[in-house]
Each structure stands twice: as structure tokens, then as C-alpha cells.
Amino acid sequence: MAFTVKIDRTLCIGAGSCVALAPLAFSLDNEAKAVLLPTASSESNDNLLEAAKACPVAAICVYDENGKQVFP
């Protein structure tokens, strides 16, 4: 089962915890806000979920293969 991730850039404060926990999925852009990388599908579901949980402002939403929200 592959997770889908969406970032709410209006909430993102650029803490970078997502980049530290899932570097294949996330990067910070020139505005210091998270962006999803093309290699995100190579990141493990565990890492994606941990990155979302580590976001201090809950800017990362994770969905399962059926579109059901897993986090937050």
C-alpha cells in the first residue's frame, strides 16, 4: 500500500523535520517551505508517516491507497 502525501504550504513554517525524516520525499524550496519531490514514491510509508507526525504545524496530510486520511 502506497501512501499519498499533500503539503499545505500555507501552514508550513519550514521547520525541516520532514526533510530530516524522509529526504527522498521532501525538500525545502527557496521560500523555506516544504515541497514534495519526484522521488517521494521511493520513500517508505513509515518514513512518510513519521515525517508528517513530526511537522510542528500539521502541514503534511497522509492518505492511504483508498484516499482515506491516515494523518492528521
Side-chain angles (χ1 to χ4, degrees):
M1 166 173 56
F3 284 159
T4 301
V5 175
K6 293 186 181 171
I7 303 167
D8 184 339
R9 288 177 45 89
T10 61
L11 292 177
C12 181
I13 60 171
S17 53
C18 57
V19 177
L21 292 168
L24 295 176
F26 301 100
S27 182
L28 297 182
D29 66 7
N30 59 356
E31 296 177 25
K33 295 201 177 230
V35 292
L36 203 57
L37 296 173
T39 54
S41 61
S42 300
E43 194 68 73
S44 75
N45 283 347
D46 289 342
N47 286 359
L48 292 173
L49 191 55
E50 288 306 310
K53 289 178 177 180
C55 179
V57 293
I60 302 169
C61 293
V62 180
Y63 302 88
D64 69 13
E65 62 188 4
N66 298 317
K68 181 181 175 192
Q69 191 167 332
V70 176
F71 186 85

